[in-house]
Amino acid sequence: MLGNFKYDNPTKLYFGDEAQKNLADALKGFGNKVLLTYGGGSIKRNGIYDDVMAALKASGKEVVELPGVMPNPTVDKLNEGRRIARDNNVDFILAVGGGSTIDYAKAVSVSAWYDGDAWERFWVRQDDPKAGERIIPVGAVLTMAGTGSEMNGGSVITNRGKDIKIGKVFGSEVMPKFAVLNPRYTFTVPHRQMVAGIFDTMRHIMEPYFSGDDDSVSDYLAEGLMRSVIASSRAAIKNPEDYEARSNIMWSATWALNTLIGEGKPQDWEVHMIGHAISAYTDATHGMTLSGVSVAYYRHIMKYGIDRFARFARVVWEIPSEGKTNEQLASEGIDALAAWIKEIGAASDIASLGVTPSMLEGIADATLFMTGGYKMLDRSEVIEILRESL
Ligand code: NZQ
Ligand code: ZN
């Protein structure tokens, strides 16, 4: 049975191959001074910066630039952004980039006018902004598909000094007010990042799917999304400029984590927790940390959720079921997942991401243990899964 929930998502989306033409309109009513934040410069090379600046100019905005948001954005970078946002008293933050830049914009948004230690408050203690506290509204121009940050409240920040990476899911007041999604903007994403984004999307669908055993509409939606992601991944790898494939990937990524398919059912975010701990130690690309441990994790928990794993094999991978036990089918489904990871070129292990045996204890210590999956892990099981993933 579906549980009770409130779904509240205020993000307005503009989708399509000329979606950026709506940007000037979208910016109306958000004040004059805009903090434009972006990553390491890809937007200057592929022309997205020019499109955005033209829209900002057309709407008469005063622009303060905050470049250099790194993948896996850090507390130090957050503190720099807070200072700049506050010193300039900006009215709005426009994030142009992938999940890192959009997550970062949300982090600056809630932290700029808070005087204390924002990392400690929002990420360690998982506090929420209080009613009446000043939050700077955020908008997004998405340049890479994967995280779903464009339509959710997630903001993942890394503390390099402490080797911890923590995600905070803020409420609707922090979600982007709007997001511009032009699939054509993703054509220039490097192959490895495209693949990481595709696997991240797949995982965001699998987290709610591999949980619970009720008949839930969410699981049917998840199956459709997974089938589309697999088909589109193959087309996009063959031709990165296949608009149909890139648009399907972009839209699936948004759906995968605008939290809709997870509503009313338990979810299993353990792979994400292990992945965050790996990134905290190695700065590895998010999606690759997930593909690196997924197969070992699923082999480990398969027997606790055998029916769902068998259904995954049958429906998502179309593996014939005649004459097979659920155990055989379930195992073949995980084999198919492992083969797809190889086929698209996502990481099949974590050694290739820089993880060494001496890091395993520390990574296990940095891993949060989640309920919601078919088996709640303990520390020794995390170490076992990490060792099998090396
Ligand atoms: O920095 P630039 O120069 O822009 O280059 C970026 C970056 O190097 C590049 N890129 C992005 N769009 C491009 C492009 N290069 C060429 N052309 C384009 N159009 O791609 C690289 C990766 O970008 P990044 O934003 O780091 O990738 P992603 O979107 O995967 O974001 C990863 C971050 O999001 C967090 C992750 O933990 C990680 O910190 N997540 C956020 C979530 C959320 N908000 O709900 C959930 C996710 O599970 C995830 O944890
Ligand atoms: Zn993710």
Side-chain angles (χ1 to χ4, degrees):
M1 194 183 77
L2 276 177
N4 305 334
F5 59 85
K6 171 186 168 202
Y7 185 71
D8 179 9
N9 196 316
T11 307
K12 192 182 280 186
L13 295 182
Y14 300 91
F15 190 96
D17 66 351
E18 296 203 326
Q20 72 281 3
K21 292 195 171 155
N22 297 291
L23 183 55
D25 236 18
L27 285 162
K28 274 189 192 142
F30 286 113
N32 189 50
K33 211 175 217 187
V34 174
L35 182 66
L36 173 67
T37 188
Y38 52 94
S42 68
I43 64 164
K44 291 208 166 158
R45 294 187 292 277
N46 57 25
I48 298 173
Y49 177 86
D50 296 335
D51 286 354
V52 169
M53 285 308 266
L56 286 163
K57 204 169 159 211
S59 36
K61 304 289 181 185
E62 185 183 338
V63 180
V64 178
E65 295 201 28
L66 172 49
V69 180
M70 63 290 278
N72 303 322
T74 63
V75 174
D76 288 347
K77 184 71 186 172
L78 168 59
N79 288 334
E80 178 199 334
R82 292 167 75 187
R83 261 193 320 275
I84 293 174
R86 194 164 166 153
D87 290 351
N88 289 283
N89 195 11
V90 299
D91 301 306
F92 192 76
I93 305 175
L94 183 62
V96 184
S100 294
T101 302
I102 303 172
D103 280 16
Y104 175 75
K106 294 174 204 166
V108 172
S109 148
V110 294
S111 306
W113 292 95
Y114 173 61
D115 287 325
D117 182 337
W119 161 258
E120 194 59 35
R121 176 179 170 194
F122 295 116
W123 284 270
V124 177
R125 284 196 277 120
Q126 297 277 299
D127 196 8
D128 284 302
K130 295 195 177 26
E133 254 189 284
R134 184 163 173 193
I135 296 172
I136 306 171
V138 169
V141 176
L142 186 66
T143 67
M144 156 161 180
T147 65
S149 186
E150 65 277 11
M151 203 184 184
N152 70 35
S155 174
V156 186
I157 297 294
T158 298
N159 190 318
R160 285 266 153 259
K162 298 198 164 105
D163 288 339
I164 315 178
K165 179 176 180 182
I166 305 180
K168 162 72 185 161
V169 181
F170 290 104
S172 54
E173 70 280 11
V174 182
M175 289 182 195
K177 301 293 176 210
F178 64 80
V180 171
L181 276 60
N182 182 342
R184 227 171 267 288
Y185 277 4
T186 66
F187 284 2
T188 55
V189 173
H191 179 84
R192 192 172 183 282
Q193 293 294 340
M194 176 185 80
V195 167
I198 288 170
F199 195 79
D200 192 24
T201 299
M202 187 72 172
R203 273 247 59 103
H204 296 159
I205 307 166
M206 290 194 283
E207 314 305 30
Y209 184 71
F210 284 102
S211 188
D213 49 19
D214 302 356
D215 182 45
S216 162
V217 61
S218 294
D219 297 326
Y220 297 88
L221 291 170
E223 284 161 349
L225 284 170
M226 285 190 274
R227 288 166 63 104
S228 172
V229 169
I230 294 162
S232 301
S233 70
R234 291 177 168 144
I237 281 168
K238 214 179 278 166
N239 175 14
E241 302 206 353
D242 180 334
Y243 182 84
E244 185 173 67
R246 298 309 284 263
S247 59
N248 282 328
I249 289 169
M250 192 175 229
W251 193 217
S252 302
T254 303
W255 265 81
L257 200 51
N258 62 9
T259 77
L260 201 61
I261 61 164
E263 297 298 348
K265 63 168 305 196
Q267 309 185 37
D268 176 11
W269 286 88
E270 194 57 51
V271 166
H272 263 75
M273 297 305 108
I274 300 174
H276 285 344
I278 292 172
S279 281
Y281 266 73
T282 60
D283 203 21
T285 300
H286 173 63
M288 296 301 185
T289 64
L290 307 177
S291 61
V293 297
S294 284
V295 173
Y297 175 72
Y298 278 160
R299 292 210 193 289
H300 190 87
I301 66 158
M302 187 186 91
K303 63 174 180 280
Y304 303 97
I306 204 80
D307 292 347
R308 180 53 50 94
F309 281 97
R311 175 172 159 175
F312 177 63
R314 224 175 27 246
V315 180
V316 177
W317 300 103
E318 297 179 14
I319 297 172
S321 57
E322 301 89 76
K324 291 177 190 158
T325 63
N326 265 2
E327 283 74 10
Q328 281 170 318
L329 251 187
S331 182
E332 285 181 31
I334 299 176
D335 292 345
L337 176 68
W340 180 66
I341 288 173
K342 280 215 167 67
E343 177 192 342
I344 63 174
S348 293
D349 65 82
I350 54 174
S352 61
L353 303 178
V355 176
T356 60
S358 66
M359 289 179 190
L360 301 192
E361 301 273 338
I363 292 173
D365 287 337
T367 300
L368 298 176
F369 300 103
M370 308 294 281
T371 55
Y374 289 119
K375 163 86 173 73
M376 188 174 169
L377 299 185
D378 61 30
R379 187 176 177 279
S380 68
E381 289 174 295
V382 169
I383 292 182
E384 204 180 302
I385 288 162
L386 289 169
R387 195 164 289 129
E388 279 162 18
S389 305
L390 273 173

